[in-house]
Amino acid sequence: MSRSRLPAAVRAVFATATALAAVLSVFTPVSAAPSAAAGPPRYVALGDSYSANVFVRPWNPTDGCGRSYRNYPHQVAEELGLRLVDVTCGAAEVQDGVLGPQPSSKVLGPPSAPTAGGWPARPAQIERLRADTDYVSVGIGGNSLGFGEIVTQCLKRGLTTLGLGTPCTKHYTSGEGRDWLAGRFARLDGEFGRMMTRIRERAPHARVALVGYPAIVPTNSGCHWGVWRQLGTVAKGDMPWLDGLERRLNSLIAEQAAAHGATYVDTYGPSRAHGLCAGAGQKWMYGVRDDLTGDGDQTDPPARLCALLPGTGATCTFVHPNALGADNQARQLRAAFERFRAPVPAAQRS
């Protein structure tokens, strides 16, 4: 796939990040606990496309994970002086991505048009955790729940009713749709529990933060049917249900954090006024097909199916945080990590 030539400044960012990744890939002897003499604290970022911040320029074009150099792990590591190991990857799931390898069929870019033969499978992200890991962030769960499939169903059902009624809500709150969704939530809960146990086993001294999902459509105010920079053909009446689904997912993540001694990072609350139907300059989310944001002029020509959508946005960003959304995620995680570093009052020490 041809891409426009990147400016020198962006190429320099790529070169620096590549060199850093090479250094971090070298395994050094581990100790039983973190050591101040070992250098900057080691921070491992695990997660899916919302943590990789896919489609936020500039991203790594080499492995199909779409990992942005402006994603919240990079921002937090730079601001707090942490040694980052970022293995976040677009389309990752709890099982197929964090606990186990992410198969090639589930590595989707960007770049959205893969290299010849497709993108290679990715190793299990959890393998990068070690006994000397100091900080861990995990942003995962939406793909395991099937959020992309759910939105696609809502797009199709909203199209058949020309945006009238609540066709998607009806599907997922009765009959087979309700049973399917209940099964997905039950499976995700079990997978999360196993993941948290494994994280504690591999990084027993690490401070762990579970990052929730930011607000997508907390209100349907400003939303219009058929606008692809928003939710396309999703019926406006179905948007409250979609918001409730996201809040339910965040509640599951928060409960898992509490059950396993981790910290839940709320990115939803601070972003409530900045959903994808907010006005220009105010939205922190991409719509279904939207213009790219971030640094530089990197492009992602729309794949064949994306090109069929009537929207005029640059590519199929399919409901992800934009650059401002990534900045919000970074602010919330940075605050959580700073609380980890704050001295514990004597009265609270065990």
Side-chain angles (χ1 to χ4, degrees), residues 28-44 82-83 129-136 199-208:
T28 56
V30 302
S31 58
S35 169
R42 188 174 193 265
Y43 163 34
V44 180
L82 307 179
R83 182 164 44 113
L129 297 181
R130 308 188 317 211
D132 65 342
T133 299
D134 299 283
Y135 296 93
V136 178
I199 289 173
R200 287 301 184 193
E201 290 172 349
R202 295 187 65 91
H205 306 286
R207 300 295 189 98
V208 180

Side-chain angles (χ1 to χ4, degrees), residues 138-298:
V138 189
I140 200 76
N143 295 321
S144 299
L145 182 63
F147 188 76
E149 180 178 347
I150 292 168
V151 172
T152 300
Q153 278 284 348
C154 292
L155 286 165
K156 292 178 179 178
R157 292 175 184 275
L159 180 60
T160 62
T161 67
L162 298 180
L164 300 176
T166 56
C168 196
T169 305
K170 291 178 179 177
H171 174 70
Y172 285 110
T173 56
S174 62
E176 293 182 359
R178 178 190 58 200
D179 296 341
W180 178 88
L181 187 59
R184 284 297 183 107
F185 267 106
R187 188 178 74 179
L188 177 59
D189 195 46
E191 289 178 348
F192 240 100
R194 291 191 293 275
M195 178 185 71
M196 295 304 295
T197 298
R198 290 284 308 281
I199 289 173
R200 287 301 184 193
E201 290 172 349
R202 295 187 65 91
H205 306 286
R207 300 295 189 98
V208 180
L210 298 188
V211 182
Y213 288 89
I216 297 172
V217 56
T219 171
N220 58 20
S221 175
C223 292
H224 302 281
W225 188 80
V227 177
W228 293 97
R229 294 176 194 271
Q230 298 179 350
L231 277 179
T233 56
V234 174
K236 193 169 181 177
D238 281 326
M239 294 179 188
W241 179 82
L242 276 174
D243 179 60
L245 177 72
E246 185 187 10
R247 288 186 282 108
R248 182 180 173 188
L249 173 59
N250 279 338
S251 293
L252 183 153
I253 297 170
E255 289 166 3
Q256 285 289 340
H260 292 274
T263 293
Y264 174 68
V265 179
D266 175 25
T267 65
Y268 179 96
S271 61
R272 279 188 59 86
H274 303 280
L276 56 75
C277 295
Q282 292 298 311
K283 73 175 192 174
W284 294 353
M285 295 291 300
Y286 287 126
V288 176
R289 181 168 177 171
D290 217 328
D291 291 331
L292 298 173
T293 61
D295 309 312
D297 58 0
Q298 200 169 19

